[in-house]
Amino acid sequence: MTATTQTPLLTEAGATVERHWRELAGRRRLYTFGGIAFLALAMFGSLWFANESNAGKFFDRLPYLFDFVGQLVPRDGMEIWRAMFDLPSPYDDGSLKYNYPDGRIYLTESLYLPEYFYKMLETINIAVVSTLIGFVFGFILCFLAAANLTTRRWLRFFVRRFMELLRAFPEIVIAGFFLAILSLGAVPAIIAVAIHTIGALGKLFFEVVENADLKAEEGLRAAGGNWVERVWFGVVPQVLPNFLSYTLLRLEINVRASTIIGAVGGGGIGETLRLSIGRGHEAKTLAIILLLFTTIVAVDQFSAWLRKRLVREQSFTLAQGA
């Protein structure tokens, strides 16, 4: 006699729960497949648009990408280091391709700063100055935009819309406008990056302020403190670490933005990189890319270390123990 196992019947409530679960699972699968199909359609449409915008040559020219990469390989690996440190090249034929020593910035009669290091310092200077300007004005505006500190709705509305306007356009668009007015150089780049930084940091700052604990501010209000005193002594001490953390993060972004703006005439390493690529100077191009990559990694690591020190170690690590 064969033993059979029968599945117990579900109660009416259990059957309702199972039926509802199956409906939700089917709906989730439908949404998943629909989302994947939409993303595939959007990607196909984007590629088609890119191909049409590129005079129908996007897919035709795509196989030649590695040909361009191969053209960046210098004839001698040491040429990269000679180009980076402005050392004479044994292949110097009087052309711009190997005139590495001509770019030296002499500090004394014998001590010099390599050209690309000087350009990189210029790019970092643009990023640092614009970040400081953005921090100062973003710091001032954020308290006027915070709903828990500013009771006048019209003032909050105006300040928030003003900051949205400042960050509405990419830095390179703003830089193009000021380059047309002020000519080429670092000053238009600083103005462009600073304007966008004010809007970006101002938004991040006022969101931090709106999440702040206002017990200290309420105590100062009860003691008769004015608005400035309540903000400075009751709010700023608890939000300042987050402000500095966001500012350091913005500094990393501004180093990259300053490089991009330099490629359109804003000075710094970006302009030099554009010229070396356009002229086909492979050793110079690779030297600049290597220096740029090393600098960005160094800035990222330094700002991450400093942020960790500012907002305390426990903010970056998981709680341990039960």
Side-chain angles (χ1 to χ4, degrees):
M1 186 173 184
T2 306
T4 59
T5 304
Q6 296 182 352
T7 303
L9 297 177
L10 296 174
T11 62
E12 182 178 355
T16 303
V17 170
E18 183 181 10
R19 184 169 58 254
H20 183 61
W21 178 84
R22 293 183 182 276
E23 291 176 358
L24 292 177
R27 191 179 306 170
R28 185 172 64 245
R29 285 193 295 269
L30 178 63
Y31 289 162
T32 300
F33 292 140
I36 294 174
F38 174 78
L39 290 176
L41 183 63
M43 181 176 296
F44 175 80
S46 299
L47 291 174
W48 175 85
F49 180 77
N51 187 59
E52 293 299 319
S53 301
N54 201 46
K57 299 296 183 180
F58 177 77
F59 292 108
D60 294 340
R61 301 299 301 175
L62 197 59
Y64 297 96
L65 172 64
F66 294 101
D67 293 343
F68 173 75
V69 175
Q71 293 172 2
L72 289 178
V73 179
R75 61 193 299 180
D76 181 359
M78 290 301 298
E79 284 296 289
I80 300 175
W81 305 105
R82 296 187 187 107
M84 182 180 296
F85 295 100
D86 292 347
L87 301 176
S89 173
Y91 310 105
D92 189 3
D93 53 4
S95 65
L96 296 176
K97 191 172 184 178
Y98 300 104
N99 64 336
Y100 309 143
D102 293 349
R104 294 176 177 178
I105 309 297
Y106 281 92
L107 305 178
T108 63
E109 293 184 358
S110 57
L111 181 63
Y112 70 90
L113 184 66
E115 177 186 10
Y116 297 155
F117 285 83
Y118 177 80
K119 292 293 185 180
M120 194 70 244
L121 287 176
E122 186 177 349
T123 297
I124 295 175
N125 178 68
I126 294 172
V128 170
V129 173
S130 58
T131 303
L132 290 175
I133 296 174
F135 173 81
V136 171
F137 286 95
F139 182 89
I140 295 172
L141 294 174
C142 74
F143 299 106
L144 300 176
N148 55 349
L149 293 179
T150 302
T151 57
R152 296 179 176 85
R153 296 186 61 181
W154 65 268
L155 180 59
R156 294 201 312 270
F157 178 85
F158 174 77
V159 173
R160 293 189 182 189
R161 301 296 84 77
F162 176 69
M163 290 191 296
E164 288 174 0
L165 178 64
L166 294 182
R167 66 176 183 271
F169 302 97
E171 296 94 331
I172 194 169
V173 175
I174 304 174
F177 176 78
F178 283 101
L179 286 169
I181 299 175
L182 303 175
S183 186
L184 304 180
V187 174
I190 292 175
I191 296 175
V193 179
I195 287 176
H196 195 276
T197 302
I198 293 171
L201 286 182
K203 175 179 174 57
L204 294 172
F205 287 176
F206 89 72
E207 290 179 349
V208 172
V209 171
E210 288 186 336
N211 291 320
D213 187 357
L214 295 185
K215 292 181 180 178
E217 188 269 344
E218 293 172 356
L220 290 169
R221 180 185 301 179
N226 58 38
W227 187 85
V228 175
E229 292 173 339
R230 299 199 309 269
V231 169
W232 185 254
F233 296 105
V235 179
V236 171
Q238 58 176 309
V239 300
L240 189 58
N242 284 330
F243 279 14
L244 295 177
S245 178
Y246 281 130
T247 302
L248 290 171
L249 178 61
R250 188 67 201 186
L251 175 62
E252 302 173 15
I253 298 173
N254 286 348
V255 171
R256 301 176 180 88
S258 301
T259 303
I260 297 173
I261 292 176
V264 296
I269 197 72
E271 182 178 8
T272 308
L273 178 60
R274 180 182 62 84
L275 291 174
S276 65
I277 293 176
R279 294 168 177 170
H281 298 169
E282 62 275 355
K284 291 183 177 182
T285 300
L286 291 177
I288 295 172
I289 292 175
L290 179 61
L291 180 61
L292 183 61
F293 174 76
T294 304
T295 302
I296 290 177
V297 170
V299 171
D300 288 351
Q301 293 299 316
F302 173 75
S303 60
W305 172 81
L306 194 54
R307 284 201 307 271
K308 187 179 295 186
R309 296 295 300 270
L310 290 172
V311 300
R312 300 184 182 277
E313 184 76 21
Q314 58 266 29
S315 300
F316 285 80
T317 57
L318 296 174
Q320 298 181 358

